[in-house]
Amino acid sequence: AGTYTIRYYIKNSGGCSDFYDSTTVTITGKPSATINYPAMCGTEVKVDVTLTGTQGGRFTSTTGVSIDATTGTINPSASAPGNYVIAYTIAASLPCPAFTTTKNVTITQAPGASISYGKTNFCNDDNTNTNHPVNVIIAGTKEGPFNISTLTGLIIDALTVN
């Protein structure tokens, strides 16, 4: 890429002087770019793109993604969880054609759950009567261990919470 001067020369002949002419041409670099995004959780408000290459393009995506068309910043909390294709397009600038690159991104549904035991009060008769196991009621994401805020006086199974 750059600007160049091209000269043309005809040697004198038959009593005529040497002839010179020149012209200037500009070679424009073809646009190119790559875009990347980190993993995204649906609770995040702002996830920036890493853009390498030609600046000044526009970002687009399929329906469901909240994306800033100028900066490429995605707002996962305003987007639907799922898999999407983000496109970055640089408009044609004669003599170069338009350029588009894409990146697959996933917005992951944030985990969430509520737990209960159906009741909140239990009787423990100084360890003479053992309570029967009580099953936990889980609504939402069902994975991960359980723990107790006070480590004395109550025994639970960390995997089943019985």
Side-chain angles (χ1 to χ4, degrees), residues 10-21:
I10 301 174
K11 184 169 174 55
N12 67 14
S13 118
C16 294
S17 301
D18 292 344
F19 176 81
Y20 296 92
D21 195 18

Side-chain angles (χ1 to χ4, degrees), residues 8-138:
Y8 180 63
Y9 166 70
I10 301 174
K11 184 169 174 55
N12 67 14
S13 118
C16 294
S17 301
D18 292 344
F19 176 81
Y20 296 92
D21 195 18
S22 65
T23 189
T24 301
V25 296
T26 300
I27 307 298
T28 303
K30 179 174 100 171
S32 67
T34 59
I35 58 173
N36 284 295
Y37 289 90
M40 293 179 235
C41 180
T43 58
E44 295 177 84
V45 176
K46 179 183 174 189
V47 176
D48 293 325
V49 65
T50 299
L51 169 63
T52 305
T54 306
Q55 304 288 313
R58 304 273 304 162
F59 293 87
T60 58
S61 183
T62 51
T63 302
V65 177
S66 175
I67 187 168
D68 184 297
T70 303
T71 65
T73 297
I74 293 176
N75 181 346
S77 66
S79 303
N83 298 315
Y84 300 97
V85 176
I86 307 297
Y88 176 67
T89 301
I90 300 163
S93 178
L94 293 176
C96 295
F99 171 85
T100 299
T101 187
T102 61
K103 182 68 177 178
N104 294 327
V105 300
T106 299
I107 299 174
T108 303
Q109 172 74 41
S114 64
I115 64 169
S116 68
Y117 286 95
K119 61 181 184 173
T120 57
N121 294 312
F122 299 89
C123 178
N124 187 348
D125 215 2
D126 293 329
N127 292 327
T128 57
N129 293 325
T130 305
N131 285 311
H132 296 287
V134 178
N135 291 326
V136 66
I137 301 166
I138 303 173

